[in-house]
Amino acid sequence: MDRYEGALAVTDSGVFSCAQVDCTGDGDPSLWSFFDPSTIAIVGATERAGIGRVCTSNVLRGKSEGMRATVWAVNPGRDKVLGTPCFPALMKLPAVPDLVVIVTAAPVVPDVVRQCVDLGVKSVIALPSGFKEIGPEGVALEEEIDKHLKRAQGRTRMIGPNCFGLINSHTHLDTTFGVATCKTGSCAVVSQSGAIIASLIDWANEHNVGFSSMVSVGSMLDMGWADILEYFWQDPHTKSIAIYMESIGNAPSFLAMAKKVSLRKPIILLKPGRTMAAAKAAMSHTGSVAGSDVAMDAAFRRAGILRVNTLPDMFETVMMLTFGSIPTGPNAVIISDGGGPGVLCADALEQSGGKLASLSEAVVENLDRVLPKHWSRSNPIDLTAAATGESYRQSLDAISSSKDIHTALVLLGPLASADIVSHVYEFVQKSQKCGIGIGLGAVAKRQAMMKYGVPVFAASDTAATIVDSLWNYRDMLNQAHQFPEPCDSGDFSTAQAAVDAILNEVSQKGRCILTESESKKVLSAYGIPISTTLNASSADEAVVAANQIGYPVVVKLLSETITHKSDVGGVILSLQSDAEVRAAFNTVKMNLQKYHPKDWEMHFMGVTVQPMLNISNSQELLIGGISDSQLGPVVAFGCGGKMVEIYKDMAVTLPPLNHNLALILMRQTKIYHALTGFRGQAPIDLDKLAGILVSFGELLLRHPLIKECDINPVLASAERIMAVDARVVIWGNTPKAVPPALSLFSLDYSKIVEVSSNQVLVKVLQADNHHMWKTWQTQLEEESVFVSLNAATTLEQRISHECMVRILFANPLDSITIIVVEGGSIIANARIIKCSRSNAVFNLAMNKKELSTGLLPVLVKSVMEVSQQIGIKHLKIGVPIERNGEALVYGVALCEGLASLGLSILKQSASNKCFQISLA
């Protein structure tokens, strides 16, 4: 079993293949030539002390250790550098190098990059500093480099400038200017700081930890996070990835690629800058609580990233993923040779959020057979100071078969032998559970323990924290990939047009704040239930409105400029008569005059009259949204009312949402427990509330003019869910909205077409179509499945959880499934699988009878349209036409249909035909 299974480690298998299509060579060659080049040129190589000498020395050391690449030095003033041939210029080299490493002064770098582009060099690493970090002069240099790289149109890619370099331990490549070397391992490191890489190498060498590769991205002028992650996603030597990030850069591309990668390989990320400075200028309750870093946390969770808080946390997590496994559950057993350390470890475990496993009768009986009569008979398992290696081994054997135990924390006191850890290793291999050693005492002893291939920690609280965080990481991924139920949110196109009209009218008047009435119209358009709200510009109009609604009522200030009405005495509750409404109108006006004596008239438009709702059996909630400066729209949910900033019980996520994601958002708050039923109160309709959150997310996505939006309070009870107050703030004349951070998580493609006089829906498959997809798999004919997948897969394989997750939660950077729906059922599908940025393969699945209905050209056209949306220029499809010497009737018919559509044959054999489509 893969040690990362369930986190989620979903891998491609024959179920996902496209028949007989060779993708070899379709990958981005520049990515591989960074890490495994055939030829390397070092421009600026020298024997003088400095980064040029150290970098050259490191590259040449790799050559002596087995690196296959030919190395050339480039320096017009030398014939040789450190014994390797030196040439005066790049164009004088015997051949065009795969990789050029630049170690010159910064002003020389733009011209070197120009030469690389002219020669067709695939990959460039620019180490020098002295660019945008020094001001305008450095910015000008970067702009010149960028101009040359854009001219290359992706044929030449660059890491840097101002970077530490790159290490690939498996190919013995080291282009850094560091003095320490790293061991070979399975964790890749990507960092914006060279110092962090150097620190990780020093730490790793002390702890017997190695790395597959290490990349310093520097200024990310060209190659960014997503590019590097794409390589590690494909790299067979990389099992996990650690990232040190100071700025996210292109958030949509990074998050989309991280989501793709995290299905196979855990991603650990350390990002400093946890401040609330961005919230200070917020006009809404949401903005004051959901600061930018909170939103960043939410974005990382949606992308399947485990964020750690400190550098030591990153160190320890890397060690855990290198030698250990991700726990399959929260329950841990502690085995110790002393009572005190065991109790302290138990405290640490529970304080970090973990759980002490209960020992079943069977486990206790197993332990009774091997341990002294005076053993603790509970968890922690205290072996006492008389513990031996054999008693540790027997205890681990006794718990190995228990399904209720997921992790063993094994404490070794100063008297215990280091080789006891070998029994932990055997336990892990036998049980596939998580096993950890905690070495209490001398550093030398812990270092001796580390050679047994088990994660070893110096303190129980550290071990407990790491175990719990990794279990939460697995649980987060599993929850996020539960199949959601469809949300009946309706068609948003009509709502979008209506809201656009409201927002544009407000903007054209030079306003940024919508009135409460306008805000509620916006919400109502998206199906969010609102309380009746009538405007009144005079006391008489207020009385008419109150009688229309029915007493008791509430009177609130109506203003285009003031957002928090209660702060200026602008809310009067529980009005029972016409006289009280008249008095309330005047009170609101006088209160406003008190707070704004000089300009009260510009703030006063009258009042709104609303029903006074009974809140005795209701919970006050807040649903809010902000446009984050880096991530775009953000959705917040939590405890509402006047005490929002005091209680700060709020969870944040990024749209778009589905039913499952909305429920996950709610569960992150304390108020959620009250919503499920509390002290005799009936639970609220959580499905309805989830639908409201889904609709609210769509509102934010479809209207980038919205800067902030608060619905506070939302009254929620078993009888109703209703927005009582709302405010919407829009951007001014110069909108600053940024693209939604999750915009690349899915593809918006849907159209109605006519096939054989029937209307069918052609759309991209989404996670909430899982029931429909599962049914479709039961209806597909066996020969159609074989031709589509070129494999004799079973129904059980196709509807397995792993396969369903891979298909239904597919990332457009990886693959896209298109379905054709008629009468609520799928009648055909196509799957596009990307091989590189511009190349993809696809397959088609339908039953034989559909081939003659006109469905094939519709599906092929949709494949072409979707492929163009994601930048594909070349498509291939392979179709088997015989199996075991017998003709496949469906395969032959499909080939005839594809040929009739004008698809050209790329290659063919007796058993297979491969067609191609050029979209360039």
Side-chain angles (χ1 to χ4, degrees), residues 468-483:
D468 186 60
S469 68
L470 284 172
W471 155 243
N472 287 332
Y473 175 61
R474 179 194 282 266
D475 190 46
M476 172 191 74
L477 286 175
N478 287 336
Q479 285 189 50
H481 290 88
Q482 290 176 0
F483 301 124

Side-chain angles (χ1 to χ4, degrees), residues 39 158 202 248 402 504 564 690 733 762 792 861 913:
T39 49
M158 187 182 84
D202 287 346
I248 194 170
S402 173
N504 290 335
H564 299 303
N733 294 327
V762 185
K861 183 179 180 181
K913 287 186 178 181

Side-chain angles (χ1 to χ4, degrees), residues 34-117:
F34 275 113
F35 294 88
D36 189 17
S38 297
T39 49
I40 304 171
I42 308 170
V43 180
T46 180
E47 293 186 359
R48 292 200 309 269
I51 67 169
R53 179 187 175 97
V54 178
C55 174
T56 304
S57 176
N58 285 342
V59 173
L60 293 175
R61 186 192 69 245
K63 184 69 177 174
S64 68
E65 292 173 351
M67 182 178 70
R68 70 183 183 94
T70 300
V71 181
W72 300 310
V74 178
N75 188 327
R78 303 188 65 93
D79 295 326
K80 284 190 174 183
V81 173
L82 299 177
T84 198
C86 188
F87 298 83
L90 280 171
M91 60 281 299
K92 299 294 184 179
L93 293 174
V96 175
D98 287 340
L99 171 65
V100 169
V101 183
I102 305 174
V103 290
T104 65
V108 181
V109 174
D111 190 59
V112 177
V113 173
R114 177 190 63 76
Q115 295 176 50
C116 291
V117 171

Side-chain angles (χ1 to χ4, degrees), residues 315-330:
F315 292 161
E316 307 291 1
T317 307
V318 166
M319 180 174 65
M320 185 71 183
L321 292 176
T322 298
F323 296 126
S325 59
I326 297 178
T328 57

Side-chain angles (χ1 to χ4, degrees), residues 223-301:
M223 293 280 286
W225 302 112
D227 300 298
I228 305 298
L229 285 180
E230 184 175 6
Y231 169 79
F232 290 134
W233 180 70
Q234 302 173 65
D235 179 28
H237 301 297
T238 296
K239 304 301 181 185
S240 60
I241 301 164
I243 297 174
Y244 173 79
M245 174 186 286
E246 291 175 356
S247 60
I248 194 170
N250 185 330
S253 66
F254 166 67
L255 294 169
M257 184 58 70
K259 183 175 185 286
K260 169 182 172 178
V261 172
S262 65
L263 279 173
R264 292 187 182 179
K265 304 178 182 183
I267 300 175
I268 314 116
L269 184 144
L270 173 61
K271 185 180 186 300
R274 288 183 177 272
T275 68
M276 291 292 288
K280 292 182 179 178
M283 299 179 70
S284 66
H285 292 298
T286 304
S288 66
V289 180
S292 184
D293 196 69
V294 176
M296 195 68 73
D297 269 343
F300 293 153
R301 285 194 299 270

Side-chain angles (χ1 to χ4, degrees), residues 647-677:
Y647 293 142
K648 293 185 178 180
D649 177 28
M650 187 180 293
V652 168
T653 192
L654 274 62
L657 301 179
N658 58 36
H659 182 270
N660 182 45
L661 292 171
L663 290 174
I664 290 173
L665 177 67
M666 288 187 262
R667 292 188 196 115
Q668 294 174 41
T669 63
K670 295 177 182 177
I671 193 70
Y672 172 78
H673 301 288
L675 304 179
T676 59

